[in-house]
Amino acid sequence: MKYSCPKCRSALEIQKTFNKKYMISCKGCGLQDLVEYAKNIDEVYLEFLARFDDGSTPNKKQLKDELKESGIIRDESEIKEMIGNSTPDHLTLEVLHSKKDYISYYKTIKSPAPEMGSPVEDLGLDEKMVQYLHKKGITQFYKFQEDAIREIMFGQNVVITAPTASGKTEAFSIPVIQKIAGEGKGGILGIFVYPTKALARDQLPKIREIAECVGVSADVFDGDTKGADRAEILDNIPQIIVTNFDVLHYHMMYRTKFASACSTAKFLVVDEAHVYSGIFGSNVHYIIKRLKRICKKIQFVASSATLDNAKEFCQDLFGAQMGLIQGTGKKGETDFVMAFPSLRTQRALVIDLLEKLVSKKHKTMVFSNSHLNSELIAMQARKKKIDIKVHRAGLMANYRSFVEKSFKDDKLSAISCTPTLELGIDVGNVDGVISSTIPINRLLQRIGRAARKGQRGFAFLALGNDPISQYYKNHPGNYFEDTEKTYIDPRNPFVEEFQVLAMACDKPIAMHELKEHSDVIKKHVESGNLVIQENRYVPNYPAIKDAQSEYSIRGIGKSIDIFLNEKKVGDRVLPMALEELHESAVYFLAGMRYKVKEFDYPKKQFAKLISIPRSYPYYTRALTEEWPTIETVYEKRRAFGVEVFFCKLHIQKKVYGYVNIELGQEVTQGQKILLDNPLEYDFVTKGIVIHAPRPADEMKKAENSEYTEASGYHATEHIIIEGSNMVTGGVSQDLGGISLGTSGLIFIYDGAIGGNGASRALYDRLEKAFERSLHIVKECPCTNEAGCPRCTFSYRCGNNNEFLHKKASNEILQKINDGETTDVIEPTEGDRPLV
């Protein structure tokens, strides 16, 4: 229904504000008003007409003051002060003067020209290498490249940190290849490891080109290498092999011919080392340790995006002392804006920014933190005739390669992607980057892709409809302090238990060896996994066969294959697949929506999709129930006064229904539909448990004190997970949560089977998470009993965002921050789990 202006009869624009009011504007005569929220839009319009009739509609100055006071938009003078002496591009000025968003922060990020080093002929390189570099137009190294070359040539273990496209590959490959050329033939001498097969194949031509100039051979060996090519590689072993840790793990454990060929390696080069955090990194730590056991002496070289703790992290990862070499990026200027969508949704803000960039022929990458958001953005952008494609995990590799090539060849204007494209895959020139909220060091990695040719770049951090965005709107300075801490946990008991077994598979463990793992070895002997033969521990293969085949070093479980028209079009890992691919679920794939016609689980583990009309108005979100059991307590401590356990948890999960959510509405509550056959899944993971203080004051005021108490705990669980996201380095999407009825027990656990390190990050920084959570709930202007998406609601809530109480949660978090003492208790039957 169209609402007309009482003054000039033009159509009115009615926009809901972030703080539950309505902004009414007439494009014809400029009449504007800010009206209190009502569920029925007709009531809002009638209230506006009544205010107009009695003359209480504010004048421009009054409205401007009210909008500023409400934190809806910035005053012009504040924007001018923010700009200062900078000279933002016309496009950026348009964004800064938006009447629909609150501009939290602006600056021009200037990258100075990198410091130059010596001429290439001054470093003692092979004459052929020097000639090759001259031919490529490289006559002088950057200072960090020179430092890296000298240290690596001298035999030092080093970690090189520098932004994307700054010359890291040359910094590590030139000296390693030079040293390999000096060794002569004799099997594999250098192992170059990349986190993905796509990145390995993207980098191979560059490595091979450098290697061939000095007569060194290089090839790729991974899961996509065809049988005939594998045989050829094993018959004519190259001096450099490009691979990944999954391949090294598998071949060492099964003592293959390839593993035997790797035993002559003298150099291990690990690019994108920052990827190896959490459970994956803990496994990689052991794979490197296993490689050291089968190789006589090996030199380590790591390359990474900018990390605060790069040296310490890499020393933990490699189990060796490392020298740190830091580089800078290419010279350039990037306009950076942090914007909060106060009069529209985050997605509307992102689409608007994308439209502005693409209309000026700026190639743009849009980074989302979830599969769903990347798909929704692409779908809505296409409606605006924007030439965009999706790039995310779960899509077929050949499709992702097609998207990368199209963008690189200037045949595609924009990519809507998840962090898969944060890695150094070469997608050519990028002018603009739009990103959802992530830690600053990862944002800088993304921004590093803009302005790579020295021209002005554009970077927009689009804050969203969530607790952490609300926090950064009010505290933008804190964003720049919340750097991601990359870490591993080598003593992760799941990982240690399996990897010690894998070591015995690689090569029997001598009695005097691996004293640091003696307890685990003893446990394996007692359980029959290892047996003693000739003073060595050897595997009992029949006993460990299942463990060998089922274990995933990436901390992910089995996958569900996705089919459309009898052709496999993707996959999704369990347990997430149960929530996204249950019968009648709407599933997004490469910017299109499909409905799940058939879901075969647990027997055959596949999902069949069918097309749905473009006009179909909904997508779906699952309704879930979960029950936690504490199996082993690894550590305990107090955060303020609250006792917290870090433990092994057994989670029983059930998907019992779903809700339909209208496209574009971003409504967090929808109409419930129950499944005829609920899906059940149980898994072991790691997590934390706290016993929250009782919200006694709110319970006294309430008609139903039990409802208020349980809803307060549930809201607290949401806020801690969502609000602590940046404190823990952006891991909240890897976490699940359960509050158990009125017990006060709150469980926050790793969503990945066996654990992924996310809950460990929260355990270590829980005090800061508690402080931030209190800020979020206190500063949110909403007055609803349940709260709203910017404080207590969670888009991942399995209870349809029911059973939430904002004031009770505020009281709980205040008591936690004031140091009230509580102890973890045993859960009891009858407590309803809220997730």
Side-chain angles (χ1 to χ4, degrees):
M1 177 184 172
K2 298 277 187 200
Y3 298 98
S4 56
C5 173
K7 192 173 175 183
C8 72
R9 314 311 297 168
S10 299
L12 291 171
E13 186 178 20
I14 301 178
Q15 297 166 306
K16 192 166 142 189
T17 70
F18 81 97
N19 58 347
K20 288 280 183 137
K21 291 187 179 184
Y22 277 97
M23 176 79 180
I24 301 176
S25 318
C26 173
K27 288 182 179 175
C29 65
L31 179 66
Q32 290 184 307
D33 197 2
L34 199 61
V35 179
E36 290 301 318
Y37 173 80
K39 278 192 175 178
N40 189 326
I41 199 84
D42 292 341
E43 289 176 35
V44 174
Y45 180 57
L46 291 171
E47 171 65 16
F48 166 66
L49 292 178
R51 284 166 62 83
F52 177 77
D53 288 341
D54 66 20
S56 56
T57 308
N59 61 36
K60 282 192 175 179
K61 187 183 181 307
Q62 288 170 328
L63 184 68
K64 197 174 174 184
D65 290 344
E66 191 175 350
L67 290 173
K68 185 185 169 186
E69 201 177 302
S70 302
I72 292 173
I73 58 168
R74 286 269 198 190
D75 189 74
E76 290 291 320
S77 61
E78 290 179 302
I79 297 294
K80 277 181 185 166
E81 191 182 324
M82 207 181 269
I83 293 169
N85 297 322
S86 299
T87 53
D89 183 89
H90 178 73
L91 186 153
T92 309
L93 279 172
E94 210 181 312
V95 174
L96 290 173
H97 292 286
S98 163
K99 297 291 181 241
K100 294 184 177 181
D101 311 301
Y102 181 90
I103 305 302
S104 296
Y105 187 86
Y106 160 76
K107 76 182 278 193
T108 301
I109 298 171
K110 294 185 179 180
S111 303
E115 189 183 347
M116 299 308 292
S118 302
V120 295
E121 48 274 344
D122 288 4
L123 267 67
L125 297 173
D126 187 292
E127 187 56 38
K128 288 176 185 169
M129 182 79 80
V130 173
Q131 286 171 9
Y132 163 79
L133 292 168
H134 277 285
K135 204 184 291 181
K136 298 295 283 186
I138 302 168
T139 57
Q140 188 179 6
F141 288 118
Y142 294 127
K143 180 69 168 65
F144 88 90
Q145 291 177 322
E146 180 187 340
D147 292 344
I149 291 167
R150 290 190 189 281
E151 289 294 303
I152 293 167
M153 293 291 284
F154 193 62
Q156 298 297 308
N157 298 324
V158 299
V159 52
I160 306 163
T161 69
T164 306
S166 56
K168 285 197 299 281
T169 302
E170 288 80 4
F172 62 71
S173 57
I174 288 170
V176 170
I177 289 167
Q178 172 76 58
K179 289 186 82 172
I180 287 171
E183 294 275 348
K185 306 285 182 193
I188 294 170
L189 295 171
I191 301 173
F192 284 51
V193 177
Y194 289 88
T196 65
K197 290 179 284 192
L199 186 56
R201 285 162 190 275
D202 183 74
Q203 294 297 304
L204 177 65
K206 191 189 280 190
I207 294 163
R208 188 179 265 161
E209 193 178 19
I210 299 169
E212 284 176 351
C213 81
V214 288
V216 170
S217 54
D219 218 325
V220 66
F221 189 100
D222 61 24
D224 288 348
T225 306
K226 293 185 168 63
D229 295 334
R230 284 180 177 228
E232 173 62 26
I233 288 168
L234 293 172
D235 286 342
N236 300 285
I237 290 170
Q239 289 147 290
I240 292 174
I241 204 78
V242 179
T243 188
N244 56 59
F245 280 115
D246 307 75
V247 168
L248 290 175
H249 159 69
Y250 175 88
H251 286 271
M252 285 194 292
M253 187 167 67
Y254 288 102
R255 295 196 213 177
T256 65
K257 192 175 176 183
F258 177 71
S260 177
C262 287
S263 66
T264 54
K266 295 191 175 181
F267 306 94
L268 176 66
V269 178
V270 178
D271 198 6
E272 306 284 356
H274 56 281
V275 168
Y276 303 109
S277 64
I279 197 85
F280 189 22
S282 300
N283 276 295
V284 165
H285 164 84
Y286 281 101
I287 294 166
I288 292 170
K289 189 170 184 172
R290 288 161 55 194
L291 196 62
K292 283 194 262 189
R293 287 184 76 229
I294 67 165
C295 299
K296 284 180 183 152
K297 191 171 190 309
I298 193 159
Q299 183 181 347
F300 300 129
V301 179
S303 142
S304 162
T306 308
L307 279 181
D308 260 19
N309 59 333
K311 183 176 177 178
E312 296 80 4
F313 167 69
C314 285
Q315 286 182 166
D316 284 345
L317 186 69
F318 288 87
Q321 288 298 304
M322 309 281 283
L324 176 63
I325 291 162
Q326 292 174 293
T328 54
K330 301 275 173 71
K331 185 180 181 181
E333 284 191 7
T334 302
D335 283 347
F336 170 62
V337 180
M338 185 191 294
F340 178 85
S342 45
L343 285 172
R344 52 180 166 180
T345 64
Q346 182 196 33
R347 217 169 286 134
L349 165 61
V350 168
I351 300 294
D352 186 29
L353 292 170
L354 182 57
E355 249 190 312
K356 283 180 168 66
L357 287 162
V358 170
S359 68
K360 301 282 191 219
K361 302 284 188 284
H362 293 311
K363 287 173 68 184
T364 304
M365 295 177 76
V366 183
F367 285 94
S368 297
N369 288 344
S370 72
H371 287 192
L372 179 61
N373 265 338
S374 65
E375 295 278 4
L376 284 167
I377 283 163
M379 199 174 86
Q380 291 188 14
R382 280 208 196 99
K383 288 179 182 173
K384 301 270 189 180
K385 305 287 186 266
I386 294 170
D387 183 20
I388 189 168
K389 287 198 168 15
V390 177
H391 188 291
R392 64 168 177 83
L395 295 173
M396 300 302 281
N398 57 352
Y399 179 81
R400 294 206 301 265
S401 299
F402 162 70
V403 173
E404 290 157 21
K405 189 172 187 311
S406 301
F407 193 77
K408 187 176 181 178
D409 295 346
D410 296 333
K411 292 176 182 171
L412 185 65
S413 304
I415 299 181
S416 177
C417 53
T418 55
T420 48
L421 273 180
E422 249 174 47
L423 303 176
I425 291 173
D426 183 9
V427 288
N429 298 334
V430 182
D431 306 308
V433 169
I434 304 167
S435 176
S436 51
T437 322
I438 47 154
I440 179 64
N441 50 307
R442 280 176 59 197
L443 181 74
L444 291 172
Q445 173 87 344
R446 291 176 179 182
I447 289 174
R449 287 188 171 279
R452 278 165 80 156
K453 292 285 183 188
Q455 80 277 30
R456 186 184 286 263
F458 302 90
F460 299 104
L461 183 69
L463 298 176
N465 201 28
D466 60 90
I468 197 64
S469 292
Q470 167 111 344
Y471 181 82
Y472 285 140
K473 171 186 179 277
N474 300 323
H475 307 273
N478 282 16
Y479 177 71
F480 298 92
E481 295 168 18
D482 290 344
T483 54
E484 182 178 30
K485 293 284 188 287
T486 311
Y487 65 94
I488 58 166
D489 176 16
R491 300 305 295 193
N492 177 317
F494 299 104
V495 175
E496 187 184 6
E497 274 184 32
F498 178 80
Q499 290 291 350
V500 167
L501 265 188
M503 283 181 192
C505 295
D506 304 341
K507 174 181 160 184
I509 300 168
M511 286 289 207
H512 64 274
E513 217 188 338
L514 303 176
K515 291 295 181 193
E516 67 273 28
H517 302 298
S518 56
D519 289 347
V520 175
I521 291 170
K522 185 182 173 189
K523 186 176 170 185
H524 279 312
V525 171
E526 287 169 357
S527 62
N529 291 332
L530 292 178
V531 293
I532 301 170
Q533 284 180 9
E534 299 174 1
N535 289 326
R536 299 182 309 167
Y537 299 105
V538 297
N540 177 5
Y541 285 105
I544 66 167
K545 184 166 54 91
D546 289 346
Q548 278 181 302
S549 61
E550 289 174 11
Y551 188 83
S552 163
I553 66 166
R554 293 176 186 255
I556 54 176
K558 292 178 180 174
S559 294
I560 297 289
D561 289 331
I562 302 168
F563 292 89
L564 177 67
N565 300 327
E566 305 303 318
K567 181 184 172 188
K568 185 181 172 183
V569 289
D571 55 51
R572 196 72 174 105
V573 296
L574 289 164
M576 277 309 297
L578 300 188
E579 297 186 35
E580 295 178 9
L581 290 162
H582 57 77
E583 206 160 311
S584 298
V586 172
Y587 189 73
F588 288 80
L589 192 76
M592 299 290 286
R593 285 179 303 150
Y594 302 90
K595 201 167 205 174
V596 178
K597 172 184 149 193
E598 186 183 347
F599 184 55
D600 194 310
Y601 169 84
K603 285 182 183 173
K604 294 183 183 173
Q605 306 208 346
F606 67 78
K608 288 186 178 176
L609 307 179
I610 53 168
S611 298
I612 54 175
R614 282 176 180 260
S615 58
Y616 187 76
Y618 301 111
Y619 65 98
T620 54
R621 189 182 63 237
L623 296 170
T624 62
E625 278 181 3
E626 292 168 21
W627 184 265
T629 307
I630 300 171
E631 295 207 342
T632 311
V633 177
Y634 299 129
E635 287 180 43
K636 57 173 83 170
R637 69 180 188 89
R638 290 198 181 273
F640 299 133
V642 171
E643 186 176 38
V644 52
F645 286 0
F646 179 60
C647 48
K648 180 179 177 181
L649 292 170
H650 179 232
I651 307 291
Q652 292 164 285
K653 187 182 187 91
K654 181 193 280 188
V655 176
Y656 65 89
Y658 61 95
V659 290
N660 280 314
I661 299 174
E662 203 167 328
L663 272 173
Q665 296 302 306
E666 297 196 28
V667 176
T668 48
Q669 293 174 312
Q671 185 63 44
K672 289 184 189 177
I673 298 161
L674 300 181
L675 293 176
D676 293 334
N677 299 302
L679 303 166
E680 294 187 9
Y681 187 81
D682 69 306
F683 63 103
V684 171
T685 186
K686 293 165 87 173
I688 66 168
V689 188
I690 64 166
H691 183 202
R694 294 187 87 194
D697 295 344
E698 286 301 321
M699 288 168 68
K700 280 175 199 163
K701 298 177 200 168
E703 284 180 31
N704 183 339
S705 62
E706 280 193 11
Y707 172 85
T708 300
E709 184 180 13
S711 300
Y713 297 137
H714 186 205
T716 302
E717 172 242 307
H718 278 193
I719 298 165
I720 292 170
I721 293 177
E722 299 291 333
S724 68
N725 196 19
M726 295 298 124
V727 174
T728 54
V731 300
S732 79
Q733 65 201 39
D734 298 325
L735 291 167
I738 305 167
S739 65
L740 270 189
T742 56
S743 69
L745 289 173
I746 293 174
F747 296 77
I748 298 173
Y749 62 86
D750 295 338
I753 297 158
N756 54 21
S759 64
R760 177 74 214 195
L762 183 56
Y763 177 79
D764 290 340
R765 299 169 214 167
L766 201 50
E767 287 85 351
K768 198 169 177 187
F770 284 153
E771 285 170 3
R772 188 153 298 183
S773 299
L774 182 59
H775 271 291
I776 285 162
V777 77
K778 269 192 185 308
E779 290 173 5
C780 185
C782 80
T783 54
N784 301 334
E785 179 185 90
C788 75
R790 288 187 167 91
C791 57
T792 59
F793 285 24
S794 166
Y795 282 100
R796 293 186 298 279
C797 179
N799 290 101
N800 203 26
N801 283 304
E802 294 169 355
F803 302 98
L804 296 169
H805 200 288
K806 181 182 177 180
K807 286 184 177 176
S809 177
N810 184 31
E811 185 183 342
I812 291 164
L813 287 163
Q814 187 66 61
K815 285 181 170 181
I816 289 172
N817 280 272
D818 289 345
E820 184 166 316
T821 305
T822 63
D823 295 319
V824 175
I825 57 170
E826 283 291 320
T828 54
E829 288 291 334
D831 281 321
R832 178 177 174 178
L834 298 170
V835 299

